[in-house]
Amino acid sequence: MTGRLFRAVAGAGVLFGASATFCAAQTRGGQPTMMGEGRTERVGQPATMVAPPSPPDPAVTRTAGFAAAYARARSPRIVVFWNRELTDDLDTDREQVTTLSGTTSSNGETHRADYTRRRAGYADMSSSSTEHVEGEIRSTSRRIDKGRRASVHSEAIDFDIERGFCDTLAGAGVRLVDRTAILRAAGLAANTTNVQEAEARGLLDRAELLIEVVPMTDPRTPSGTSYRIIARELSTGRVLARLSSAGRGTAQKMPFVAGTDGFVRATPREASPSELGRRVAIDTMAALSNAL
């Protein structure tokens, strides 16, 4: 029994000595350890795996392509017609508006009312129960703006969308010209109150390109709205681009997130008004890149 125990202990010693010799053979004599003390990465060594490069942002690529084309075209001045179309009217239409503000007395009760009639006459305030009418008639002339298009959003949201659109164009180097400013300047220079004449003079003298952006109902989009964009060269009338954009941007693969039934793809966040305008501008610039 003692002999067998001695032989077992001796065998274990031999095995231990062999293991120690094997481990010693694995160390790099005079060389630093593969891992720094208390660290999990290799000191002074590159990462085991290099992460693949991120794909280029399509928005950045499109913006850069447009900026290069715009510079080659000698940076033409651009007027943006937001919620507005360039009409074929050569004269400014006006309408006569007649307003009757009066007080009616009926059965001892007094009522205040305003009645408005366009083009001809005013509303009749008389009735079988009216005893007395006092009032005044005001007649004014009002300009009919046929180019203006109503927004589908509130004033504040529409402003943010327009701001995102124009800021994106300006960020790509576009020289933007304000319609109101050139309209006033041209009207003063020509001594005319004809809006169409002043607008035409201002556009031809102070801009090279015109971009119309008009909202339209579109049941194909999640928001039910898209934008019709037309870009024209003013000196020739040539249409450079014609497109519609819902401001969706380029679809990107969303990461997985934990859901009630396991991991699912994350839902893209809804774009803010200014981000929506930025996306519409990027779609517009992409369409213009090959036309400039």
Side-chain angles (χ1 to χ4, degrees):
M1 179 68 181
T2 304
R4 289 198 299 270
L5 178 61
F6 175 77
R7 288 195 296 272
V9 172
V14 172
L15 180 61
F16 177 78
S19 299
T21 304
F22 177 78
C23 292
Q26 300 304 306
T27 61
R28 303 184 301 168
Q31 299 294 322
T33 59
M34 293 292 290
M35 298 289 184
E37 184 177 354
R39 303 180 63 176
T40 58
E41 73 275 4
R42 300 187 300 167
V43 179
Q45 299 295 321
T48 303
M49 295 184 64
V50 178
S54 300
D57 186 350
V60 175
T61 304
R62 288 182 168 189
T63 302
F66 168 80
Y70 182 76
R72 289 194 300 268
R74 298 183 179 181
S75 303
R77 295 168 295 181
I78 297 179
V79 176
V80 175
F81 274 21
W82 189 263
N83 294 340
R84 177 173 294 279
E85 294 177 322
L86 184 67
T87 67
D88 58 0
D89 292 331
L90 300 178
D91 199 1
T92 302
D93 293 333
R94 309 189 76 86
E95 64 177 355
Q96 290 296 123
V97 180
T98 303
T99 302
L100 170 60
S101 297
T103 302
T104 63
S105 298
S106 176
N107 301 325
E109 296 182 358
T110 301
H111 305 277
R112 179 73 182 181
D114 292 330
Y115 299 86
T116 300
R117 183 72 178 270
R118 291 178 171 82
R119 294 292 182 188
Y122 53 87
D124 186 5
M125 294 178 61
S126 61
S127 65
S128 58
S129 61
T130 299
E131 298 175 357
H132 182 68
V133 176
E134 292 182 356
E136 62 177 353
I137 297 176
R138 297 188 306 274
S139 182
T140 59
S141 177
R142 181 179 302 170
R143 178 171 62 89
I144 301 176
D145 190 355
K146 293 184 178 180
R148 184 69 178 173
R149 294 294 175 263
S151 173
V152 297
H153 304 286
S154 67
E155 184 177 359
I157 291 178
D158 189 66
F159 172 79
D160 283 344
I161 298 174
E162 180 183 5
R163 176 173 59 85
F165 182 88
C166 293
D167 286 353
T168 303
L169 291 182
V174 171
R175 296 193 294 161
L176 292 175
V177 180
D178 181 66
R179 173 185 178 272
T180 303
I182 65 173
L183 186 65
R184 291 292 186 92
L188 182 62
N191 192 25
T192 180
T193 57
N194 186 331
V195 176
Q196 271 63 35
E197 179 183 354
E199 182 179 70
R201 288 177 180 271
L203 289 174
L204 291 173
D205 293 344
R206 295 171 171 83
E208 285 75 46
L209 302 182
L210 168 66
I211 298 179
E212 293 179 6
V213 186
V214 179
M216 58 183 181
T217 302
D218 190 347
R220 299 170 300 176
T221 65
S223 63
T225 304
S226 63
Y227 289 86
R228 185 182 72 233
I229 301 115
I230 302 177
R232 297 183 179 92
E233 187 177 51
L234 290 168
S235 61
T236 63
R238 182 168 65 104
V239 176
L240 301 176
R242 190 190 303 269
L243 68 146
S244 65
S245 172
R248 295 180 179 176
T250 304
Q252 296 183 355
K253 197 171 185 179
M254 301 300 294
F256 282 100
V257 296
T260 56
D261 298 324
F263 284 92
V264 295
R265 291 283 183 185
T267 303
R269 63 179 180 84
E270 185 178 355
S272 65
S274 59
E275 174 64 17
L276 174 61
R278 187 185 76 88
R279 293 177 180 178
V280 174
I282 291 172
D283 289 345
T284 303
M285 292 190 295
L288 279 172
S289 296
N290 297 326
L292 290 175

